[in-house]
Amino acid sequence: QVQLVESGGGLVQPGGSLRLSCAASGSILSISIMAWFRQVPGNQRERVARIYSTGATNYADSVKGRFTISRDNAKNTVYLQMNSLKPEDTALYYCTFVAQDRQYWGQGTQVTVSS
């Protein structure tokens, strides 16, 4: 059974940085897409960043230039480096993997940006 486990969330002041990690446990092959989403209570889940097996990436306009997604295929892990954080980045962040036509989700890690 595949599980995704996120880590790295927490409380940070505006302008600060955090690095999120998401690792897959269990047997999972041919991960084509790794991505980060976020959700604020009462709002829809929003895709923040996505990275393909080729290394190609794309980002939500709201985080371009501030967030960087990367992946370590050997470790089945995806990262999200978040810089210049703003209060509006406060949300529950989820990772998701797409592999062999199945999609897996983590449980989420809370990021709070506040002074």
Side-chain angles (χ1 to χ4, degrees):
Q1 184 177 357
V2 174
Q3 288 187 322
L4 304 187
V5 179
E6 299 107 334
S7 61
L11 173 64
V12 64
Q13 292 187 341
S17 298
L18 284 175
R19 189 190 192 213
L20 305 184
S21 299
C22 173
S25 64
S27 178
I28 181 169
L29 302 175
S30 302
I31 302 172
S32 56
I33 301 171
M34 297 178 174
W36 288 95
F37 282 69
R38 65 187 181 187
Q39 189 170 23
V40 175
N43 289 2
Q44 288 190 332
R45 197 170 289 190
E46 170 196 24
R47 188 176 66 236
V48 175
R50 178 169 56 187
I51 184 166
Y52 294 86
S53 57
T54 59
T57 59
N58 51 46
Y59 297 89
D61 288 342
S62 58
V63 307
K64 280 181 182 176
R66 300 188 298 121
F67 291 10
T68 302
I69 189 170
S70 60
R71 62 191 281 172
D72 184 333
N73 292 324
K75 296 181 179 180
N76 283 341
T77 299
V78 64
Y79 305 96
L80 186 68
Q81 178 66 44
M82 305 186 294
N83 299 329
S84 302
L85 282 161
K86 304 175 181 179
E88 51 264 43
D89 294 318
T90 296
L92 189 60
Y93 283 70
Y94 298 89
C95 65
T96 182
F97 289 4
V98 176
Q100 298 179 317
D101 296 325
R102 292 192 63 180
Q103 187 164 15
Y104 304 88
W105 289 91
Q107 293 299 305
T109 185
Q110 179 66 36
V111 172
T112 302
V113 185
S114 175
S115 56

